[in-house]
Amino acid sequence: MDVNDLLTEAYDRLPDLVAAAVDGLSPEQLRQPPAPGANTVGWLVWHLTRIQDHGVADLLGEEQIWVTGDWARSFGLTADPDDTGFGYGPEQVATVRPENGQVLLDYHAAVVDRTRRYLRGLRPADLDRVVDLNWDPPVTLGVRLVSLLDDDLQHAGQAAYVRGLVERG
């Protein structure tokens, strides 16, 4: 298996995890915290998608999908490219109000499509390229891609767990 296939296989697991967390939930359930101050399914899926969109856009040197379309309106937000949800408190989590599950799935699908195209073009030597000098040791492309995936997988699992809590009331 080459690096493109390996990374694509790993990232391609996310859409099914996201769909399992979101499918069939009402807008109210997507916005419902399972306990006061907890994250919602809608916020978790929006956040993991924003993280991937922000990170891959940065690697490509392109604008984020979030700001190139009308996505923000569908979430009750503005199209701020710096807003990924990092550091949000409960009041800010509550401002992420997806219209429905489909908008979460559609935004995620658009981000995943671009990520797939990016991964297909990588060569093994690309993974050693330093992409961030702000860390010691500096962050390589390979490490950044694994970090993005790790963050997304954790949030997808959290979204599935929160879904179960919300459905059980």
Side-chain angles (χ1 to χ4, degrees):
M1 177 179 278
D2 68 20
V3 68
N4 308 77
D5 293 339
L6 179 67
L7 287 168
T8 300
E9 172 65 27
Y11 273 88
D12 274 355
R13 293 173 184 228
L14 286 165
D16 288 341
L17 297 172
V18 165
V22 168
D23 279 342
L25 292 182
S26 69
E28 294 75 26
Q29 288 173 311
L30 291 168
R31 302 171 189 159
Q32 179 183 341
N39 294 329
T40 65
V41 170
W43 182 85
L44 287 161
V45 171
W46 169 81
H47 174 63
L48 74 85
T49 306
R50 288 291 302 120
I51 292 296
Q52 188 176 147
D53 187 11
H54 184 274
V56 173
D58 184 56
L59 294 171
L60 286 165
E62 296 178 359
E63 281 193 284
Q64 298 167 33
I65 291 169
W66 179 251
V67 299
T68 61
D70 195 26
W71 298 107
R73 182 196 55 74
S74 299
F75 290 84
L77 300 169
T78 59
D80 180 351
D82 295 323
D83 184 7
T84 63
F86 184 76
Y88 268 27
E91 295 81 23
Q92 291 167 299
V93 168
T95 66
V96 179
R97 302 182 55 78
E99 291 175 350
N100 53 51
Q102 193 59 52
V103 72
L104 285 161
L105 297 173
D106 290 346
Y107 174 47
H108 189 258
V111 170
V112 166
D113 286 345
R114 181 173 62 184
T115 301
R116 281 184 191 126
R117 286 192 305 274
Y118 178 65
L119 295 175
R120 276 196 300 265
L122 291 179
R123 297 176 318 241
D126 294 334
L127 299 178
D128 294 327
R129 179 173 54 91
V130 172
V131 296
D132 191 344
L133 294 170
N134 294 314
W135 299 90
D136 185 20
V139 176
T140 63
L141 175 59
V143 168
R144 178 60 46 88
L145 289 170
V146 169
S147 293
L148 291 171
L149 180 62
D150 177 61
D151 189 76
D152 282 0
L153 289 169
Q154 287 188 57
H155 288 337
Q158 292 167 356
Y161 182 74
V162 170
R163 177 194 178 110
L165 295 173
V166 167
E167 287 182 321
R168 284 163 185 76

